[in-house]
Amino acid sequence: MSDDTDRNARHADKMKKVQAARQTMMATRTAEKGLLIVHTGPGKGKSTAAFGMAVRAMGHGMKVGIVQFVKGAMTTGERVIFDAFPDLVSFRPMGEGFTWDTQDRARDIATARTAWDEVCRLIDDPDIAVVIADELNIVLRYDYLPLDEVLAAVTARAPMKHIVVTGRNAPDALIEAADLVTEMTQVKHPFRGGIKAQAGIEF
Amino acid sequence: MSDDTDRNARHADKMKKVQAARQTMMATRTAEKGLLIVHTGPGKGKSTAAFGMAVRAMGHGMKVGIVQFVKGAMTTGERVIFDAFPDLVSFRPMGEGFTWDTQDRARDIATARTAWDEVCRLIDDPDIAVVIADELNIVLRYDYLPLDEVLAAVTARAPMKHIVVTGRNAPDALIEAADLVTEMTQVKHPFRGGIKAQAGIEF
């Protein structure tokens, strides 16, 4: 038997075992439920992955409601594509800009309340399969909304309702309540090299 | 002055300083360039964020080419949405399934080569703004493609070409060559609670 044939045979044998182990593991996963998903951490991709999930769900004909708690110029691109599917996705930028732009705490709190009311409406709407509360964690971080109220609402969701919450500094209690939590860690960022925010990448 | 008025005034003052610091920082970021972006780490969201970036770029009329090195059942949802924009995105699942399903190393290597040839074609095509090599890191991890060849091709890309590479265990040399690297870390995963892969979430 040549070296290569031997290597391929060992590979096939190993992969058979991996496949068997995976099948055993997958067989234990039979339950379905609406997930509370949190994307947090200082790295990029938290909102982008949430919007990618929106696209995935929309492709299955599932309706998605997106509320943005902090409006930036960062969603121009996605909006164009989402707007082509008005029956499948609603996209509401409720924030009035970053809080360092408004410089008005009372107004920021009122805006957060309006956005949260819309999230609650989406959570209660049986037609909506996936609710995305984009940058909700930032609002919680600033104490613009009571954490207890948010926890109560997401915990009381219908059994098959998926909720995705994004933003750095997710509160511990939200992580505790969640089913799926991913932390995006920044390894390297081009801003450090003097590169500006670019169309198709950051917005 | 009431406590609340006082707090709001201090908030406004602090936010003015944050805003000024940000404006100074943003003023140093003037360059544009095509980015080599890597999504790695064991957590979820690597491919999802890449597909979210595709949607963002498509919304700006930028053309996107996606090559999937490991084909699973995991892209059903996105495909439906992408297929609505045939002029803006090409999506080629080149892999034949997870390597533990094929159990055939020689065939996996041949498939990786075909997929890589398609990535090189997209990198060389001046009409394509964003190239996504989904799960390329897995193929590199298995040594199914020479790392040197991949590094040479991504490094020699046109100045404004963006390339996104996903997959856990990104090679150090690829991270070194990249402009933007995010590591997705798994904090909590529902499979551990016996929840199966669900439509709109995992595929």
Side-chain angles (χ1 to χ4, degrees):
Chain A
M1 202 155 59
S2 79
D3 278 1
D4 214 44
T5 309
D6 187 41
R7 183 172 183 185
N8 288 350
R10 276 186 284 111
H11 174 87
D13 193 50
K14 183 178 164 194
M15 288 301 131
K16 269 197 193 78
K17 285 173 189 152
V18 173
Q19 185 189 44
R22 281 190 62 87
Q23 283 168 348
T24 303
M25 180 179 67
M26 297 306 279
T28 66
R29 297 172 185 169
T30 52
E32 287 194 314
K33 74 174 284 226
L35 302 179
L36 175 59
I37 297 170
V38 176
H39 295 170
T40 192
K44 289 182 72 71
K46 298 182 289 291
S47 299
T48 315
F51 299 151
M53 291 188 64
V55 170
R56 181 170 294 161
M58 290 159 57
H60 288 280
M62 298 160 73
K63 293 192 181 181
V64 180
I66 304 172
V67 176
Q68 257 192 318
F69 280 80
V70 179
K71 181 173 130 189
M74 299 301 174
T75 49
T76 331
E78 295 91 327
R79 294 285 320 242
V80 173
I81 304 301
F82 288 149
D83 285 350
F85 302 92
D87 295 341
L88 286 176
V89 60
S90 66
F91 194 106
R92 313 242 333 223
M94 308 293 286
E96 295 190 57
F98 291 105
T99 190
W100 51 77
D101 288 326
T102 61
Q103 299 166 13
D104 184 336
R105 188 170 171 275
R107 198 171 87 188
D108 286 350
I109 290 173
T111 304
R113 170 58 56 187
T114 307
W116 175 245
D117 288 346
E118 172 66 5
V119 170
C120 291
R121 195 191 64 72
L122 291 165
I123 291 175
D124 289 341
D125 182 345
D127 282 347
I128 302 289
V130 181
V131 180
I132 297 177
D134 184 46
E135 303 287 17
L136 172 58
N137 289 335
I138 291 190
V139 166
L140 294 172
R141 172 76 166 183
Y142 279 104
D143 289 324
Y144 287 175
L145 283 174
L147 178 58
D148 286 351
E149 189 183 338
V150 170
L151 289 173
V154 299
T155 307
R157 72 190 185 277
M160 283 310 299
K161 176 90 58 177
H162 301 293
I163 301 178
V164 186
V165 175
T166 79
R168 56 175 75 194
N169 298 308
D172 289 344
L174 186 68
I175 289 174
E176 187 57 38
D179 302 288
L180 169 58
V181 181
T182 304
E183 181 169 293
M184 275 67 168
T185 307
Q186 180 174 300
V187 177
K188 196 186 250 188
H189 196 295
F191 283 175
R192 295 189 177 161
I195 305 296
K196 70 177 180 183
Q198 298 179 91
I201 302 298
E202 279 90 4
F203 61 90
Chain B
M1 201 153 58
S2 78
D3 279 2
D4 215 45
T5 310
D6 188 41
R7 183 174 184 186
N8 288 350
R10 277 187 282 110
H11 174 88
D13 193 49
K14 183 179 165 194
M15 288 300 132
K16 271 199 193 76
K17 285 174 187 150
V18 173
Q19 185 188 43
R22 282 190 62 87
Q23 284 169 348
T24 302
M25 181 180 66
M26 297 304 279
T28 66
R29 296 171 185 168
T30 53
E32 287 194 313
K33 73 174 285 226
L35 302 180
L36 175 59
I37 297 169
V38 176
H39 296 170
T40 192
K44 289 182 71 73
K46 298 182 289 291
S47 299
T48 315
F51 298 150
M53 291 188 64
V55 170
R56 180 169 295 161
M58 289 158 58
H60 288 279
M62 297 160 73
K63 293 192 181 181
V64 180
I66 304 172
V67 176
Q68 258 192 317
F69 281 80
V70 180
K71 181 173 130 190
M74 298 300 173
T75 49
T76 332
E78 295 91 327
R79 292 287 318 244
V80 173
I81 304 301
F82 287 149
D83 285 351
F85 302 92
D87 294 341
L88 286 176
V89 61
S90 67
F91 193 106
R92 313 242 333 224
M94 308 294 285
E96 294 190 55
F98 292 105
T99 191
W100 51 77
D101 288 326
T102 61
Q103 299 167 13
D104 184 337
R105 188 169 172 275
R107 199 171 85 188
D108 285 350
I109 289 174
T111 304
R113 170 58 57 187
T114 307
W116 175 245
D117 288 346
E118 173 65 6
V119 170
C120 290
R121 195 191 64 73
L122 292 165
I123 291 176
D124 289 341
D125 182 344
D127 281 347
I128 302 290
V130 181
V131 180
I132 298 177
D134 185 46
E135 303 288 14
L136 172 57
N137 289 336
I138 292 190
V139 166
L140 293 172
R141 172 77 166 183
Y142 280 104
D143 289 324
Y144 287 175
L145 283 174
L147 178 58
D148 286 352
E149 188 182 338
V150 170
L151 289 173
V154 298
T155 307
R157 72 192 185 277
M160 282 310 300
K161 176 89 57 176
H162 301 294
I163 302 177
V164 186
V165 175
T166 79
R168 56 176 73 193
N169 298 309
D172 290 344
L174 186 68
I175 289 174
E176 186 59 37
D179 301 289
L180 169 58
V181 181
T182 304
E183 182 169 293
M184 276 67 169
T185 307
Q186 181 173 301
V187 178
K188 195 186 253 188
H189 197 294
F191 284 176
R192 293 187 178 163
I195 304 297
K196 69 177 181 183
Q198 298 179 92
I201 303 297
E202 279 90 4
F203 62 90

